[in-house]
Amino acid sequence: MAVAGTAGPKLARVRAGSMLLGPAFVAAIAYVDPGNVASNISAGAQFGYLLVWVIVAANLMAGLVQYLSAKLGLVTGMSLPEAVRERTPRAGRLAYWAQAELVAVATDLAEVVGGAIALNLLFQLPLVVGGVITGIVSMGLLLVQDRRGQRPFERVITGLLAIIAIGFLASVFVEPPSGSGILGGLVPRFDGAESVLIAAAMLGATVMPHAVYLHSGLARDRHGKPEGRGLSRLLRITRFDVGLAMLLAGAVNLSMVLLAATVLRGRADVDSIAGAHSAIGQLLGGGVALLFAIGLLASGLASTSVGAYAGAMIMQGLLRKRIPLLLRRLVTLVPAILVLAAGADPSRALVVSQVVLSFGIPFALIPLVRITSDRSVMGANANHRVTTGLAWAIAAVIIALNVALIYLTFAG
């Protein structure tokens, strides 16, 4: 009876803690969007296991970054865009918002194009029609958040995240990858300018700027601004929340690279997502190909909703302007539809959009590190010197990769 009596309160505490999980899983959708599919499949198909280390490093970076973002929201009661606004003059604030809006457009481009490709693979719909449908469905998901609140929205997005995971992890069990290949891929290296381009795309698709902005607001809106022991408890739970979400997102991303490295390496017909889907069907069967397409569709629908949500939070935080949901959705949706209507290669457009996102990362990351390291803002919860050092190292690596990308691209 004593054991049962002890287990009861512990179980109750675990259940109560689990109810506080969720914001990180919404942010994690940004890490498994269609841009990830395009860049990860390209990485594995072109370079085999060479860039496995990029996925591992990017997800470790993402875990630290997302925790710092959530911590900012919990400790200060502000989102990152609001914190930037408080420290930036008007002209600088407008310029900062302009680059953030460009990042939001690039984000939505990847997600709408990915949804359009998935609908084309599943139902043979024209890409433009698929893009419009993706936009309409994402609008419906946003209405859930707008009218029902954050918790129902989190449940819907987490459910879509589970579908994404099943869709892409299935292939690893059907065709297990090479253990020695994976170990070899953990050694950091490149193989020419194209591998740097793909690595930058993988990084841009993983450590995504809008997820950095968003997580601070998600944590604040869910939990408010707790104090004392309540804040300490929430910070512990947030670390667990971020760890679980990044572990799942990392496993999905790694499975994409391993699928391409194991099954698609060296094939001439996999230079697009559609080509990869066809090859997967031929080599692994129609069931795996169907799961791949369903996972891609869930990815597009969920990530474009989360991206639009982040765009609204960025505008409201930086400019103190709230615009109607439909208009906010059109701002980033229209460019994506125009790209599809122009007949651009959708898979290449996905990869290029991720490179644009990679260039936007420092604008989100540098203010985040500076603010969360400031004791006048964060008090006793300011970053430890080791944490600050790691965060600055992450920013330096990302910036260095982008500089190398520019040099190798134009030098070649």
Side-chain angles (χ1 to χ4, degrees), residues 200-349:
M202 295 165 75
L203 187 61
T206 305
V207 187
M208 294 187 75
H210 79 282
V212 179
Y213 296 120
L214 178 65
H215 202 164
S216 56
L218 288 171
R220 184 269 317 273
D221 292 345
R222 170 70 104 83
H223 303 301
K225 187 184 176 184
E227 296 181 356
R229 291 184 178 179
L231 175 59
S232 299
R233 178 170 179 262
L234 275 174
L235 289 175
R236 289 195 301 272
I237 291 172
T238 296
R239 286 193 287 270
F240 189 64
D241 191 26
V242 170
L244 283 178
M246 291 300 103
L247 181 63
L248 179 58
V252 173
N253 280 318
L254 183 60
S255 73
M256 298 177 196
V257 177
L258 298 181
L259 164 66
T262 304
V263 179
L264 308 178
R265 176 78 165 114
R267 290 181 63 100
D269 57 347
V270 294
D271 56 348
S272 67
I273 291 179
H277 174 264
S278 176
I280 290 168
Q282 296 171 17
L283 298 169
L284 300 182
V288 176
L290 177 62
L291 289 174
F292 177 91
I294 291 173
L296 178 63
L297 178 60
S299 170
L301 295 176
S303 57
T304 193
S305 305
V306 171
Y309 184 13
M313 183 177 291
I314 291 167
M315 176 175 281
Q316 183 178 346
L318 288 171
L319 305 183
R320 287 182 173 165
K321 292 186 180 296
R322 184 189 294 270
I323 64 174
L325 190 62
L326 178 59
L327 180 58
R328 174 66 244 178
R329 189 69 198 87
L330 291 175
V331 167
T332 52
L333 177 62
V334 169
I337 299 299
L338 291 177
V339 168
L340 291 173
D345 178 357
S347 294
R348 188 65 178 176

Side-chain angles (χ1 to χ4, degrees), residues 74-373:
L74 291 172
V75 174
T76 67
M78 292 187 292
S79 67
L80 178 57
E82 289 170 340
V84 170
R85 182 193 67 213
E86 294 295 317
R87 291 158 180 78
T88 309
R90 186 174 186 276
R93 195 161 60 239
L94 289 172
Y96 191 92
W97 169 76
Q99 67 80 28
E101 199 65 42
L102 178 62
V103 165
V105 170
T107 300
D108 221 25
L109 172 64
E111 292 153 354
V112 172
V113 169
I117 294 172
L119 288 169
N120 175 262
L121 295 176
L122 289 167
F123 306 111
Q124 290 73 55
L125 293 177
L127 290 175
V128 174
V129 175
V132 171
I133 291 174
T134 300
I136 292 172
V137 174
S138 69
M139 184 70 185
L141 294 176
L142 285 171
L143 286 173
V144 171
Q145 189 277 330
D146 191 53
R147 297 182 179 179
R148 302 287 299 276
Q150 187 170 323
R151 289 289 294 276
F153 181 71
E154 286 179 4
R155 293 190 187 102
V156 172
I157 296 300
T158 302
L160 289 171
L161 180 59
I163 294 172
I164 296 166
I166 293 170
F168 292 114
L169 287 170
S171 61
V172 175
F173 295 98
V174 174
E175 188 67 30
S178 163
S180 59
I182 295 172
L183 290 176
L186 293 174
V187 179
R189 63 195 191 281
F190 294 109
D191 183 15
E194 182 67 16
S195 69
V196 179
L197 173 66
I198 296 297
M202 295 165 75
L203 187 61
T206 305
V207 187
M208 294 187 75
H210 79 282
V212 179
Y213 296 120
L214 178 65
H215 202 164
S216 56
L218 288 171
R220 184 269 317 273
D221 292 345
R222 170 70 104 83
H223 303 301
K225 187 184 176 184
E227 296 181 356
R229 291 184 178 179
L231 175 59
S232 299
R233 178 170 179 262
L234 275 174
L235 289 175
R236 289 195 301 272
I237 291 172
T238 296
R239 286 193 287 270
F240 189 64
D241 191 26
V242 170
L244 283 178
M246 291 300 103
L247 181 63
L248 179 58
V252 173
N253 280 318
L254 183 60
S255 73
M256 298 177 196
V257 177
L258 298 181
L259 164 66
T262 304
V263 179
L264 308 178
R265 176 78 165 114
R267 290 181 63 100
D269 57 347
V270 294
D271 56 348
S272 67
I273 291 179
H277 174 264
S278 176
I280 290 168
Q282 296 171 17
L283 298 169
L284 300 182
V288 176
L290 177 62
L291 289 174
F292 177 91
I294 291 173
L296 178 63
L297 178 60
S299 170
L301 295 176
S303 57
T304 193
S305 305
V306 171
Y309 184 13
M313 183 177 291
I314 291 167
M315 176 175 281
Q316 183 178 346
L318 288 171
L319 305 183
R320 287 182 173 165
K321 292 186 180 296
R322 184 189 294 270
I323 64 174
L325 190 62
L326 178 59
L327 180 58
R328 174 66 244 178
R329 189 69 198 87
L330 291 175
V331 167
T332 52
L333 177 62
V334 169
I337 299 299
L338 291 177
V339 168
L340 291 173
D345 178 357
S347 294
R348 188 65 178 176
L350 282 175
V351 173
V352 172
S353 73
Q354 302 312 294
V355 177
V356 173
L357 293 181
S358 185
F359 282 91
I361 293 169
F363 291 97
L365 190 53
I366 290 173
L368 176 67
V369 178
R370 289 186 63 184
I371 295 169
T372 55
S373 302

Side-chain angles (χ1 to χ4, degrees), residues 44-61:
Q46 293 183 47
F47 300 104
Y49 298 99
L50 178 75
L51 299 177
V52 164
W53 68 272
V54 177
I55 287 294
V56 175
N59 275 274
L60 290 174
M61 293 178 186

